[in-house]
Amino acid sequence: MSKPNLARRVAEAAEVALTTRKYVTFIDVVTGLRWLHSRHVDIWRQGRAGTLAELAAVDEDRLVATAGLLREWALAKGLRPVDTPYVAGTRDRRELRFTSGPGQEPFRVHWLSPDLSEARVRKLSEPKVPDLVAVAPLDAWTCASCGDTGPYLIMEEDRPHCLSCADLDHLVFLPSGNAALSRRAKQESGLSAVVVRYNRRRKVYQRIGLLVEEAALAAAEERCLADEEVRERRRERDRVRRAEQDVDYQARMAAEIARLFPGCPRDRAQEIAEHAAQRGSGRVGRTAAAKALDENAITLAVIASIRHLDTDYDHLLMSGVPRMEARDRIRERIERKLEEFRG
């Protein structure tokens, strides 16, 4: 890839992050370029890889060049650089490395928009100690210290350890599902760890609960019982607000679909937006790029609709045709429908 081409792609990925959050990181760019999946970043943050570059689809020289191009773009936009430490979610809290080279500073910089409030800038600038991370493994494993196993493992010195060897076996598991209880149990607990499990279908590590002290869990339960009615009223207000936000977002997405694809019927554009942007669906409409009304993300949502409604793709899958082969068979029909929608 030529340098001008790479610079353009870096700028596009950075713009999406800046529009969504008002700040940009190196990780935002490399995941936006699809050189790294979020699961790779999770593995790295858990301390299970020596460097982020080991997990990337490109070599270290390309990553170094990308960091330089991000810096050039950010300075031209007038963004504020803030050096931010990256620390592993392990007991030793060691500094995470992006590459094997000596200089890690270009990768750690967060580029902040001048529109950010001072309070938000201070929060982003403060060093954040990450949570300890315990993994609920899907496959059999063995503790590097005692040779035993268990329901969770903690990484230390790039090796898995059981809770007993990591001095965490006195903690109890609190499943996800009650945000107030989880938040308060963590506040009350002097020692805690976030428990994650790998979702093979979605290809991401998902939080499934917390490990907290038993006394802390009991204290948190007492606090939750005391103000349950107040929190229920707040939840109802939040539900109404989120529904209103979703309606507004879906309307903006439908308008963008109509702009990019003027031949797409208005009802179809609204249907695509409502389906793609459904809260909690994990579909393309819930990505940061789609929320920024990125043209590529909007196009992917339209293609997904055409694939299922205007081709025999679903029938091919049900008849046993491999997914990628089925996509190859319908590619020309999708292109014809896209041309029709483009008018």
Side-chain angles (χ1 to χ4, degrees):
M1 187 188 304
S2 65
K3 185 174 180 180
N5 229 357
L6 179 57
R8 176 183 57 78
R9 292 188 60 200
V10 167
E12 289 173 354
E15 284 284 3
V16 170
L18 184 64
T19 303
T20 306
R21 298 188 302 179
K22 295 189 181 300
Y23 69 93
V24 185
T25 71
F26 173 76
I27 290 177
D28 291 332
V29 172
V30 291
T31 53
L33 292 172
R34 300 181 185 274
W35 292 347
L36 281 164
H37 194 281
S38 58
R39 69 177 180 278
H40 298 134
V41 179
D42 289 339
I43 290 171
W44 175 66
R45 289 186 183 277
Q46 292 165 15
R48 301 169 69 186
T51 67
L52 188 63
E54 294 174 14
L55 307 171
V58 296
D59 58 28
E60 291 196 3
D61 290 342
R62 183 61 60 86
L63 296 180
V64 171
T66 298
L69 291 170
L70 172 61
R71 173 183 170 80
E72 292 175 12
W73 172 86
L75 291 176
K77 295 279 288 188
L79 305 186
R80 182 194 307 188
V82 174
D83 186 77
T84 306
Y86 281 75
V87 183
T90 56
R91 290 295 292 270
D92 58 5
R93 306 293 196 190
R94 70 177 181 276
E95 180 183 346
L96 291 168
R97 296 186 61 79
F98 291 81
T99 66
S100 58
Q104 304 297 301
E105 294 81 5
F107 307 102
R108 295 199 309 249
V109 176
H110 287 193
W111 296 97
L112 312 186
S113 166
D115 297 334
L116 276 176
S117 67
E118 282 304 316
R120 182 75 171 136
V121 170
R122 284 195 301 272
K123 185 174 181 180
L124 289 171
S125 305
E126 293 170 357
K128 182 180 178 182
V129 179
D131 294 313
L132 280 175
V133 178
V135 179
L138 300 177
D139 302 316
W141 69 282
T142 302
C143 175
S145 294
C146 66
D148 203 349
T149 187
Y152 314 111
L153 64 86
I154 297 283
M155 295 300 295
E156 290 186 358
E157 299 175 351
D158 296 334
R159 298 188 299 168
H161 293 74
C162 66
L163 295 188
S164 296
C165 293
D167 297 326
L168 297 174
D169 55 343
H170 64 294
L171 303 181
V172 296
F173 179 64
L174 170 61
S176 298
N178 187 326
L181 181 60
S182 296
R183 183 177 63 254
R184 290 171 173 178
K186 187 177 178 183
Q187 290 170 350
E188 297 280 353
S189 190
L191 181 63
S192 64
V194 173
V195 182
V196 299
R197 176 184 290 132
Y198 185 63
N199 184 318
R200 286 195 172 113
R201 182 177 63 83
R202 301 185 67 180
K203 297 182 180 180
V204 294
Y205 280 91
Q206 293 182 317
R207 178 172 173 157
I208 63 171
L210 289 172
L211 292 173
V212 295
E213 296 165 345
E214 192 167 3
L217 178 56
E221 289 172 337
E222 289 292 334
R223 289 173 60 186
C224 287
L225 286 173
D227 63 357
E228 173 61 28
E229 184 178 344
V230 173
R231 287 186 296 109
E232 178 56 38
R233 290 200 297 268
R234 185 182 302 136
R235 283 194 293 269
E236 181 58 33
R237 291 198 301 272
D238 289 344
R239 277 194 291 269
V240 172
R241 187 183 70 252
R242 285 195 299 269
E244 291 172 347
Q245 289 172 342
D246 279 356
V247 168
D248 176 66
Y249 169 44
Q250 290 168 5
R252 288 187 291 111
M253 181 183 284
E256 185 65 8
I257 292 171
R259 186 184 73 82
L260 294 173
F261 301 94
C264 179
R266 185 179 297 274
D267 291 347
R268 179 71 179 271
Q270 184 64 37
E271 178 187 323
I272 293 172
E274 290 176 357
H275 179 78
Q278 183 178 344
R279 184 179 293 274
S281 65
R283 299 181 185 123
V284 65
R286 302 307 301 181
T287 62
K291 290 177 181 177
L293 299 181
D294 175 72
E295 181 175 341
N296 183 55
I298 298 298
T299 302
L300 289 176
V302 174
I303 289 174
S305 174
I306 295 171
R307 182 184 298 128
H308 294 290
L309 299 183
D310 300 295
T311 76
D312 59 347
Y313 176 71
D314 293 346
H315 174 73
L316 291 172
L317 293 183
M318 291 298 293
S319 62
V321 176
R323 183 169 63 90
M324 297 313 295
E325 181 182 337
R327 290 197 173 196
D328 285 339
R329 291 190 190 182
I330 65 170
R331 182 168 286 115
E332 289 185 6
R333 276 171 282 176
I334 288 178
E335 289 300 326
R336 287 198 299 270
K337 195 67 177 178
L338 281 175
E339 287 304 313
E340 177 187 325
F341 280 175
R342 288 190 177 107

